[in-house]
């Protein structure tokens, strides 16, 4: 039987190979294990295999899992990333329980997270979600909106802007996929040239299916779910 540890090693090897192929250092790409729909015991198994960064989409589910993991004996400290959409009525849970939020695409949500981040905690690490390939129905802001939003987030003391995140649609071929990934990285490079934002360091881009292309384009954080934990079962979700 293939274990979570086996799959984790295989994904790490794939990341290293893709980085090398692109002339980049394997350490330049951080692996975020997307544990949505999987139980806390699966997260523990991955943590025991050395994984530290975990991503959750559904905020309530994430908060419960974070608490369950904290209560387990002999667990190392884990870093929790909110990678799902954040509605206004969920910002407090995100501000209080997560370390990162990847899906900021409007100022109102950023302001609420800033106000609700508890003072003893370090600033919430955030990415601006950009939409470079889809219509206006898709989450994420345009490249132009991202510039304005980045300037505004930079003024919020309890948030630390780290970079951009995107979830591009699948493309018909590898060249088209790479072109979309490069557009996301280009938005990141634009933001990094703004005054005070020289230290942005994160492009959260690439999932199980488009990992290699995202790394070729310059992704610094890939979000891998099924490649580590197996196929998801949504039948229990409403
Ligand atoms: C589910 C999800 C992932 C992981 O997708 P896989 O195809 O299982 O690797 C990554 N990012 C986001 C935003 C997701 O919702």
């Amino acid at each position: 039987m293939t274990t979570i540890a086996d799959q984790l090693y295989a994904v790490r090897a794939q990341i290293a190979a893709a980085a090398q192929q692109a002339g980049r250092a394997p350490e330049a790409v951080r692996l975020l294990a997307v544990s949505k729909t999987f139980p806390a015991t699966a997260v523990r198994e991955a943590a025991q295999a050395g994984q530290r960064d975990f991503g959750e989409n559904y905020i309530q589910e994430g908060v419960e899992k974070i608490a369950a993991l904290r209560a387990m004996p002999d667990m190392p400290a884990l870093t929790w990333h909110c990678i799902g959409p954040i509605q206004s009525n969920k910002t407090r849970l995100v501000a209080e329980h997560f370390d990162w939020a990847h899906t900021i695409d409007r100022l109102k949500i950023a302001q609420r997270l800033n106000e609700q981040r508890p003072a003893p905690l370090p600033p919430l690490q955030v990415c601006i979600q950009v939409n470079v390939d889809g219509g206006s129905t898709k989450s994420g802001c345009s490249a132009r909106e991202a510039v304005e939003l980045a300037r505004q987030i930079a003024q919020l003391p309890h948030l630390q802007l780290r970079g951009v995140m995107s979830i591009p649609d699948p493309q018909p071929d590898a060249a088209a996929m790479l072109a979309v990934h490069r557009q996301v990285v280009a938005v990141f490079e634009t933001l990094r040239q703004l005054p005070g934002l020289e230290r942005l360091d994160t492009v959260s881009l690439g999932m199980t299916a488009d990992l290699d292309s995202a790394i070729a384009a310059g992704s610094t954080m890939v979000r891998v779910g099924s490649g580590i934990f197996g196929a998801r079962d949504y039948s229990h979700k409403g």
Side-chain angles (χ1 to χ4, degrees):
M1 206 188 89
T2 315
T3 64
I4 288 173
D6 293 335
Q7 309 240 72
L8 206 42
Y9 296 135
V11 169
R12 287 202 195 110
Q14 188 186 347
I15 291 170
Q20 234 136 32
Q21 185 86 33
R24 305 179 58 207
E27 314 83 68
V29 184
R30 186 165 165 180
L31 172 60
L32 179 49
V34 178
S35 44
K36 66 183 180 204
T37 77
F38 292 98
T41 49
V43 173
R44 179 176 58 192
E45 212 176 315
Q48 283 165 345
Q51 180 63 28
R52 294 293 178 266
D53 287 284
F54 291 90
E56 289 284 335
N57 280 60
Y58 311 105
I59 290 156
Q60 192 60 45
E61 176 193 337
V63 167
E64 285 165 20
K65 224 173 283 178
I66 292 167
L69 267 297
R70 288 228 171 91
M72 288 177 185
D74 303 323
M75 281 298 300
L78 303 178
T79 301
W80 291 94
H81 301 247
C82 176
I83 60 170
I86 305 173
Q87 311 300 333
S88 291
N89 63 353
K90 291 285 166 56
T91 51
R92 182 173 296 281
L93 283 174
V94 174
E96 291 181 349
H97 297 278
F98 284 84
D99 303 293
W100 284 65
H102 289 228
T103 56
I104 312 300
D105 62 1
R106 53 204 165 102
L107 181 60
K108 184 183 166 204
I109 297 296
Q111 285 170 330
R112 288 178 67 91
L113 290 169
N114 179 61
E115 282 158 21
Q116 294 167 343
R117 182 69 170 172
L121 296 181
L124 185 67
Q125 310 296 300
V126 303
C127 292
I128 294 176
Q129 184 174 355
V130 295
N131 167 6
V132 298
D133 64 329
S136 54
T137 56
K138 204 165 127 164
S139 301
C141 56
S142 69
R144 182 137 48 86
E145 290 163 340
V147 169
E148 190 50 35
L149 188 53
R151 287 203 179 99
Q152 292 165 322
I153 291 175
Q155 309 302 316
L156 302 176
H158 303 294
L159 301 187
Q160 183 175 358
L161 184 63
R162 297 294 296 266
V164 301
M165 177 270 206
S166 195
I167 315 173
D169 291 334
Q171 300 295 319
D173 58 62
M177 193 75 250
L178 184 61
V180 173
H181 284 147
R182 284 196 167 132
Q183 276 180 271
V184 176
V185 175
V187 176
F188 168 74
E189 295 296 352
T190 303
L191 297 189
R192 205 154 60 149
Q193 277 158 28
L194 298 173
L197 294 181
E198 300 83 2
R199 282 159 68 187
L200 296 189
D201 61 0
T202 303
V203 178
S204 165
L205 183 67
M207 319 200 296
T208 301
D210 62 345
L211 191 68
D212 294 332
S213 164
I215 291 171
S219 168
T220 70
M221 197 185 287
V222 290
R223 309 178 306 264
V224 180
S226 47
I228 296 170
F229 296 107
R232 280 182 293 274
D233 175 7
Y234 287 104
S235 59
H236 308 295
K237 296 251 161 224

